[in-house]
Amino acid sequence: MAASAPVLITALALVTACAPAAAGTGGVSGQGAQVMAATVSADVADPVRLRIPSIGVSTRVTGLRLDAGGRLIAPKRFDQVGWHRGGPEPGERGVAVIAGHVDSTTGPAVFYRLRQLRPGARVHVDRADGSTVTFTVQRLARYPKNRVPDREVYGSGGGAQLRLITCGGDFDRKRRSYRDNVVVYAG
């Protein structure tokens, strides 16, 4: 669980949860780390499962950390998502971030159909204490990795917010990464 005092969330310099990547790298990231503040309470349990019925996702949630450059380290498995442990748990005030791979060298990954989500779709996060928090998709956006609007993506707005993030756009074979990130905004 996160501390009850305000927590500083590095803006993740967008997600390393893009694949396929060179073996062992976990993916690629965007740029620049900007610091955002979020108020976090200590009474919400960690996420353990993400369910998105409209696109057929039901997967385990693992904890993720930032690398030395302030980028979120991608989940190790392509069939699971990861939650940024340094930020709010889903359901706490602020922006909780869950990232997952779009594909792998062998085929589609957990967030392959994320770009198909539409406003109004429900996203359920089951927590370690047996509770579930449900979010409603508000919108989707796609940003070039080097021009992610950190304040818009990670700014808390009001109440509990959720961002689902994966890669998208064209695949750059030379860099072995996607050029963009797909971000789902849910509240």
Side-chain angles (χ1 to χ4, degrees):
M1 293 239 208
S4 60
V7 174
L8 294 179
I9 302 171
T10 303
L12 310 181
L14 210 45
V15 174
T16 59
C18 300
T25 65
V28 292
S29 65
Q31 82 167 4
Q34 191 165 5
V35 178
M36 302 290 171
T39 302
V40 181
S41 62
D43 59 355
V44 175
D46 287 351
V48 294
R49 178 158 291 282
L50 175 72
R51 295 180 291 117
I52 312 172
S54 65
I55 60 170
V57 170
S58 180
T59 185
R60 184 172 171 231
V61 178
T62 61
L64 300 177
R65 61 181 177 78
L66 301 178
D67 69 12
R71 292 174 299 268
L72 191 63
I73 296 171
K76 292 181 192 255
R77 293 182 51 168
F78 294 99
D79 62 341
Q80 295 179 353
V81 295
W83 153 71
H84 176 248
R85 292 185 74 71
E89 284 91 349
E92 287 183 326
R93 184 170 177 222
V95 176
V97 175
I98 294 179
H101 294 279
V102 68
D103 65 9
S104 70
T105 56
T106 60
V110 66
F111 273 173
Y112 184 76
R113 295 182 60 205
L114 194 69
R115 66 185 178 270
Q116 296 173 357
L117 277 176
R118 297 293 174 249
R122 301 282 189 215
V123 177
H124 308 285
V125 180
D126 299 329
R127 300 184 288 204
D129 64 0
S131 66
T132 298
V133 61
T134 298
F135 295 91
T136 302
V137 172
Q138 298 162 335
R139 66 186 179 99
L140 278 74
R142 192 172 92 191
Y143 306 108
K145 288 181 184 285
N146 62 353
R147 292 193 310 236
V148 174
D150 290 340
R151 288 190 188 279
E152 182 178 332
V153 173
Y154 303 107
S156 65
Q161 299 288 312
L162 179 66
R163 302 294 182 265
L164 305 175
I165 303 175
T166 196
C167 288
D170 295 329
F171 186 76
D172 183 336
R173 293 195 185 280
K174 183 177 178 181
R175 294 181 65 210
R176 297 198 38 81
S177 69
Y178 285 92
R179 297 178 193 267
D180 299 333
N181 283 108
V182 173
V183 179
V184 173
Y185 294 78

